[in-house]
Amino acid sequence: MVKRSTLFLSLALPFFTVARPFSQPDGAAIPLHKRFSLALPNGVFDHDTAVAVTVLVKNKHRQNLINIQNNFGADDFPEGARVSSPASIPLAIRQRLEKRQAEALLDKGNGIAWTGLISIGTPGQQFVVDIDTGSSDLWVTSAWCGGSVCQGKNKYNSTASSTSQAQPETFALQYAGGLSVSGPLYTDTVSIAGITVTGQYFSPITSATPNFATYAYDGLLGLAFPSLSFMQQTPFLSMAVSQGSISKNAFGLKLGHGGSELYLGGANRGLFTGSVELHNLSSSRGFWQVGGASIKVNGQEAVVSDLDTIIDSGTTLIYGPPEAVRQVYAQIPGSALIDRTNGFYSFPCNSAPVVSFNWGGRDWDISPSNFTFGEAQSGSNQCIGGLVALDLGLGSNVWLLGDSFMQNVYTIFDLDLNAVGFATLS
């Protein structure tokens, strides 16, 4: 087990920005596939699914805060952060979603994930997993996960692997109202795109909430720091470095409409142009968190500034403190708060804004197509924005940047330098 004192892979370093060439070391690429949309086939915003997504995000990061408390104690809790009560999907919305899920023609590709293929065991058993930079544990469905919840999933069979070892601990992530999973802990050989790790901790889950049946993946691969680990174990990438499977403790992500991939062991220079704008992490608590950010609308002077931003590939939307988000939308003519409870805003579809983030270097624009999530109602000509007004309890002025932002840049996550980098997509 990783000692708590070693879970801090970085100290809170002074913030700085550098732009420099980023060479491509030996590594391996995994193609990724998007399994999710927040727009219905008719182009209307899928409000019910968006609420369910938000509940899942709130509870995922609630669990992350609990993990931080368990790993380090309350004295080192992030400033302004709090563990709130579990969020839940309102009954009426849950019933509507369950009815949709029961329809025979509904494509079950509505899992909230960018997914890739991994192998566990000897010989290898293959699984489709959610690639998540907002958590740190690995879990997949088990052969002992029965019923309709795990029907159609790839399932790990420990008896079929000569390298499988049961561990005494158990695993449980409680995403009340969202996704909850639990099971035993095992170690086994894990391979991703030819990069192999022995003795990797993971959980073959034996139970999950019913909504897991609708997710188009078999499990989750967390790529954040060990301090967010429920298991208190070293994640896959750091294990690969320590065992010599790769030389660089870094990975790159391209998320987009084509050619999306996870590159382990550095960055894929063929997917971006120019230099990488690199930023030190502003927190040592396990998140890919960068400080000193500001937001502009249509290239004008910064609307809000001095933000801390968590880069999370397991999140679809962008979430920020309600008052700061209100200030951003105040610069968008015709915008309006249409759902105060969940923080959704609309704006005129024919004048989508260009919202950009800046960390002291260049402006990184969010394209109108990645900021727009369908019409509020059919024929309304008002579209839903990808920026949501919601306090997730992550700390004072902390924002969560998901796919809406990440699809516009090539992102590099460097555990050796304790930094996040952004580059222009090719």
Side-chain angles (χ1 to χ4, degrees), residues 44-65:
V44 173
F45 177 61
D46 188 348
H47 180 271
D48 286 352
T49 299
V51 171
V53 166
T54 299
V55 167
L56 183 63
V57 169
K58 290 169 70 174
N59 286 318
K60 179 178 84 169
H61 287 290
R62 175 183 181 272
Q63 183 66 52
N64 279 335
L65 293 173

Side-chain angles (χ1 to χ4, degrees), residues 87-106:
S88 60
I89 302 173
L91 177 61
I93 291 179
R94 188 169 72 245
Q95 289 174 337
R96 288 196 295 269
L97 289 174
E98 288 172 352
K99 181 179 179 181
R100 284 165 51 183
Q101 291 161 5
E103 294 173 358
L105 296 179
L106 181 66

Side-chain angles (χ1 to χ4, degrees), residues 41-398:
N42 64 356
V44 173
F45 177 61
D46 188 348
H47 180 271
D48 286 352
T49 299
V51 171
V53 166
T54 299
V55 167
L56 183 63
V57 169
K58 290 169 70 174
N59 286 318
K60 179 178 84 169
H61 287 290
R62 175 183 181 272
Q63 183 66 52
N64 279 335
L65 293 173
I66 292 172
N67 293 345
I68 291 173
Q69 280 190 326
N70 291 339
N71 289 333
F72 301 112
D75 292 341
D76 201 66
F77 212 47
E79 181 181 353
R82 70 190 189 283
V83 176
S84 58
S85 300
S88 60
I89 302 173
L91 177 61
I93 291 179
R94 188 169 72 245
Q95 289 174 337
R96 288 196 295 269
L97 289 174
E98 288 172 352
K99 181 179 179 181
R100 284 165 51 183
Q101 291 161 5
E103 294 173 358
L105 296 179
L106 181 66
D107 181 0
K108 288 192 175 182
N110 64 335
I112 307 159
W114 287 91
T115 61
L117 196 64
I118 72 170
S119 171
I120 303 177
T122 308
Q125 303 170 40
Q126 291 194 326
F127 303 91
V128 176
V129 294
D130 177 7
I131 304 299
D132 184 15
T133 64
S135 64
S136 298
D137 291 314
L138 170 62
W139 58 266
V140 296
T141 41
S142 162
W144 287 268
C145 183
S148 60
V149 171
C150 293
Q151 185 176 359
K153 308 287 187 185
N154 297 305
K155 300 177 182 180
Y156 173 77
N157 186 344
S158 59
T159 63
S161 172
S162 63
T163 47
S164 177
Q165 292 289 329
Q167 302 300 318
E169 300 90 355
T170 57
F171 174 74
L173 288 181
Q174 300 298 324
Y175 296 153
L179 173 63
S180 298
V181 297
S182 62
L185 281 188
Y186 274 73
T187 57
D188 207 338
T189 298
V190 176
S191 295
I192 304 178
I195 295 172
T196 299
V197 164
T198 60
Q200 176 67 55
Y201 270 81
F202 75 105
S203 177
I205 63 162
T206 53
S207 64
T209 44
N211 55 337
F212 181 53
T214 69
Y215 293 174
Y217 54 78
D218 309 312
L220 183 145
L221 174 66
L223 291 171
F225 288 86
S227 29
L228 295 187
S229 171
F230 178 95
M231 300 176 189
Q232 296 186 341
Q233 300 296 332
T234 304
F236 174 85
L237 189 64
S238 295
M239 287 282 284
V241 173
S242 68
Q243 294 181 14
S245 296
I246 52 175
S247 60
K248 186 170 180 57
N249 202 355
F251 62 95
L253 272 176
K254 177 191 175 182
L255 306 179
H257 299 292
S260 300
E261 72 164 38
L262 165 66
Y263 189 92
L264 295 172
N268 187 341
R269 196 65 180 82
L271 294 181
F272 64 93
T273 62
S275 59
V276 176
E277 187 178 282
L278 199 65
H279 303 267
N280 266 355
L281 299 185
S282 58
S283 169
S284 59
R285 296 180 179 90
F287 295 107
W288 289 106
Q289 183 169 333
V290 181
S294 61
I295 300 178
K296 297 181 181 180
V297 177
N298 295 327
Q300 302 301 311
E301 186 175 346
V303 179
V304 291
S305 57
D306 197 26
L307 318 175
D308 260 65
T309 53
I310 294 172
I311 314 301
D312 181 4
S313 66
T315 296
T316 300
L317 300 164
I318 299 170
Y319 297 90
E323 174 55 26
V325 171
R326 185 198 65 77
Q327 294 177 48
V328 174
Y329 278 105
Q331 302 302 309
I332 303 173
S335 64
L337 177 62
I338 65 166
D339 182 346
R340 186 175 301 275
T341 300
N342 297 290
F344 298 129
Y345 278 78
S346 69
F347 60 88
C349 297
N350 60 3
S351 57
V354 176
V355 176
S356 58
F357 282 79
N358 185 303
W359 285 268
R362 60 166 287 185
D363 293 341
W364 297 97
D365 295 343
I366 302 172
S367 70
S369 62
N370 286 328
F371 189 80
T372 304
F373 283 84
E375 279 191 287
Q377 295 179 343
S378 182
S380 68
N381 295 317
Q382 285 288 113
C383 285
I384 302 299
L387 177 56
V388 180
L390 193 66
D391 181 2
L392 296 174
L394 291 168
S396 302
N397 210 20
V398 176

